[in-house]
Amino acid sequence: MDEIDVPRFFLCPISLEIMKDPVTVLTGITYDRESIEKWLFSGKNNTCPVTKQALPVDCDLTQNHTLRRLIQSWCIMNASHGIERIPTPKPPIHKNQISKLINDAKSPQLKMKCLEKLRSIASESETNKRCMEAAGAVQFLASIVCNTNYSASEQVSDDGLDFTSASCEALSILHNLQVSEACLKSLTGKNDEFISSLIRVMQRGNYDSRAYAVLLLKSMFEVAEGMQMINLRTEFFIEIVQVLHDQISQQASKAVLKLLIQLCPWGRNRTKAVEAGAVSILIELLLDSSERRTCEMILMALEMLCGCAEGRAELLQHGAGLAIVSKKILRVSQVGSDRAVRILWSISKFSAAPAVLQQMLQLGVVTKLCIVLQVDCGNKAREKAREILKLHARAWKSSPCIPNNLLSWYPS
């Protein structure tokens, strides 16, 4: 390839590789289908990469058959140099084909075959995924999840179809479709029916279906409105915390952490999460975790939960609560240190019983706060640490690490 002069217009402007399936956008620029689909759909961009002109959300990608044939002919002519002929790409699926496939899936057995076909279609291209969404595939898949009965005695139909397998397959396809924001909003706003169905999946589904349910919930609540976040039941938090406890997958655990961070500021959600056992689970995870981003998210969630009295009480009740939060200061990142100090600030500001202050001294928390004043770990963390030390300088005056200027805040 290094010795062959490849015509420049054969190369995709994005990947700079020979185009296998050249398509032209509305601006007249031609790209390889895989590259421009990733740019538009996975990357959620709405401009032409070359001209920077805006493109419509449902931008048509027109196959450039002439250019493809030229590239194929050039490949054949240069076969002696090891160039393989690019095969003719399979045309994208049409919306009407998807609609017919869904409408024909009347019986349970046909539904399962339909799901298998939809999975195959979605795996072929991003264009197919958008076409499936436009044809109503998202609503069809959601209806399968909603209509699945997870009671042990009714999981298999008379003709042997496992309903839970169909539900898991539907959830898997929904996850892989990377559903658009508008479609996610429609799922979230369907009278809580779909969210209730996902809670049932997390209660009684297998590991795969529970993971897909959590990942879908994360995407749904990223675009949800405030009132939809306020009215969540305690049952919802019990199930997502259980997914976190079971450590189904790293991706599912991170999705739960993001859900907690997003939902806790709304209504009584932080109290509901505490009642579901979130604080102790987060502390246990923090004890075992060394990955930077995971530790940051755990500390963010703990900071929010410590914003209520129940959360602070749970952290103090856990034997390793104060110790592990203090330990993570200066060991994760500046963000991690800031969040950890904020947790200690909440404890010392609102839950500073004499026994708690003594425990902070014995566990080395006070020493760590003094170190924060002396190193470069961000102004926010330093100010909060200074505030904590000033607040309880009298109780900690026996500690040799307390600076004299803080002790002088109190009369002798």
Side-chain angles (χ1 to χ4, degrees):
M1 284 292 291
D2 293 338
E3 300 173 0
I4 300 173
D5 185 19
V6 181
R8 189 165 61 180
F9 60 93
F10 285 3
L11 303 178
C12 172
I14 297 174
S15 67
L16 301 181
E17 295 179 356
I18 295 176
M19 289 183 276
K20 297 178 181 178
D21 185 8
V23 293
T24 304
V25 298
L26 293 177
T27 58
I29 307 297
T30 299
Y31 302 91
D32 189 53
R33 181 184 293 277
E34 183 180 358
S35 296
I36 192 62
E37 283 183 345
K38 284 182 179 178
W39 168 267
L40 291 173
F41 304 132
S42 298
K44 301 187 186 303
N45 298 293
N46 62 351
T47 58
C48 171
V50 172
T51 66
K52 308 303 180 187
Q53 288 177 266
L55 295 172
V57 176
D58 55 347
C59 176
D60 288 327
L61 304 178
T62 306
Q63 286 187 296
N64 192 328
H65 295 292
T66 302
L67 179 56
R68 175 178 52 76
R69 293 189 186 105
L70 283 173
I71 293 173
Q72 287 176 326
S73 299
W74 179 85
C75 289
I76 293 170
M77 290 173 58
N78 289 277
S80 60
H81 296 284
I83 304 296
E84 295 183 4
R85 181 182 181 276
I86 293 172
T88 301
K90 190 175 180 180
I93 199 79
H94 193 272
K95 180 180 174 181
N96 291 340
Q97 293 173 274
I98 302 292
S99 298
K100 185 177 186 306
L101 183 65
I102 292 171
N103 291 332
D104 289 346
K106 305 296 184 183
S107 70
Q109 290 293 349
L110 288 175
K111 280 185 180 178
M112 201 64 196
K113 289 181 180 179
C114 176
L115 289 172
E116 292 169 1
K117 183 65 176 174
L118 289 175
R119 174 185 281 278
S120 175
I121 292 170
S123 67
E124 290 174 2
S125 70
E126 292 293 329
T127 298
N128 282 2
K129 292 179 182 179
R130 303 285 73 79
C131 182
M132 285 172 61
E133 185 176 308
V138 172
Q139 290 72 21
F140 170 72
L141 295 167
S143 70
I144 291 177
V145 178
C146 290
N147 294 328
T148 298
N149 191 327
Y150 275 88
S151 67
S153 60
E154 300 181 28
Q155 288 186 355
V156 180
S157 67
D158 294 337
D159 52 6
L161 178 69
D162 186 343
F163 291 122
T164 58
S165 296
S167 177
C168 185
E169 182 74 4
L171 284 168
S172 170
I173 298 169
L174 277 172
H175 171 66
N176 292 325
L177 276 180
Q178 296 176 316
V179 181
S180 69
E181 182 174 324
C183 230
L184 286 170
K185 283 184 176 180
S186 71
L187 289 176
T188 311
K190 291 179 66 176
N191 300 320
D192 295 332
E193 180 188 5
F194 190 58
I195 293 176
S196 297
S197 299
L198 293 179
I199 292 174
R200 290 198 302 272
V201 170
M202 291 189 291
Q203 286 173 331
R204 304 186 183 99
N206 59 28
Y207 269 29
D208 286 343
S209 60
R210 291 170 69 200
Y212 289 131
V214 165
L215 292 168
L216 196 52
L217 282 167
K218 179 189 74 72
S219 298
M220 289 166 62
F221 280 109
E222 283 175 347
V223 299
E225 296 177 358
M227 287 305 296
Q228 292 166 327
M229 300 190 199
I230 289 174
N231 297 323
L232 293 169
R233 304 194 304 269
T234 302
E235 183 183 23
F236 172 89
F237 291 95
I238 290 172
E239 296 310 324
I240 65 170
V241 169
Q242 188 61 44
V243 169
L244 195 60
H245 172 270
D246 292 344
Q247 288 291 282
I248 292 173
S249 70
Q250 189 175 33
Q251 194 178 14
S253 294
K254 285 189 175 181
V256 173
L257 291 172
K258 288 178 181 177
L259 273 170
L260 288 172
I261 292 167
Q262 189 167 13
L263 297 175
C264 279
W266 296 90
R268 295 187 64 255
N269 286 347
R270 71 184 71 199
T271 303
K272 294 174 185 176
V274 171
E275 291 171 354
V279 173
S280 61
I281 298 297
L282 290 170
I283 292 171
E284 295 295 331
L285 288 178
L286 198 57
L287 285 165
D288 296 332
S289 181
S290 57
E291 198 264 323
R292 180 186 64 83
R293 183 55 184 157
T294 302
C295 287
E296 287 177 349
M297 287 194 292
I298 293 172
L299 290 166
M300 286 180 193
L302 277 174
E303 182 207 343
M304 290 185 176
L305 295 178
C306 285
C308 66
E310 296 87 347
R312 294 190 295 273
E314 286 293 316
L315 184 132
L316 291 173
Q317 189 174 347
H318 194 291
L322 282 174
I324 189 59
V325 169
S326 173
K327 184 179 179 181
K328 292 299 180 180
I329 297 174
L330 305 178
R331 292 195 178 191
V332 177
S333 64
Q334 185 168 313
V335 171
S337 295
D338 181 45
R339 299 295 175 173
V341 172
R342 284 174 178 269
I343 294 169
L344 297 177
W345 178 86
S346 290
I347 297 294
S348 63
K349 180 82 171 178
F350 304 108
S351 303
V356 172
L357 296 179
Q358 187 60 30
Q359 188 182 11
M360 292 176 76
L361 192 60
Q362 292 172 347
L363 291 173
V365 176
V366 178
T367 302
K368 180 62 76 75
L369 291 171
C370 291
I371 294 173
V372 168
L373 296 182
Q374 302 170 44
V375 299
D376 183 16
C377 65
N379 291 331
K380 292 181 180 178
R382 191 181 294 114
E383 286 304 311
K384 285 293 181 186
R386 187 185 304 277
E387 189 174 339
I388 297 168
L389 292 169
K390 283 181 179 179
L391 197 60
H392 301 295
R394 176 177 288 175
W396 295 329
K397 63 183 180 181
S398 60
S399 174
C401 63
I402 299 291
N404 290 330
N405 66 311
L406 296 181
L407 290 173
S408 65
W409 269 64
Y410 291 92
S412 56

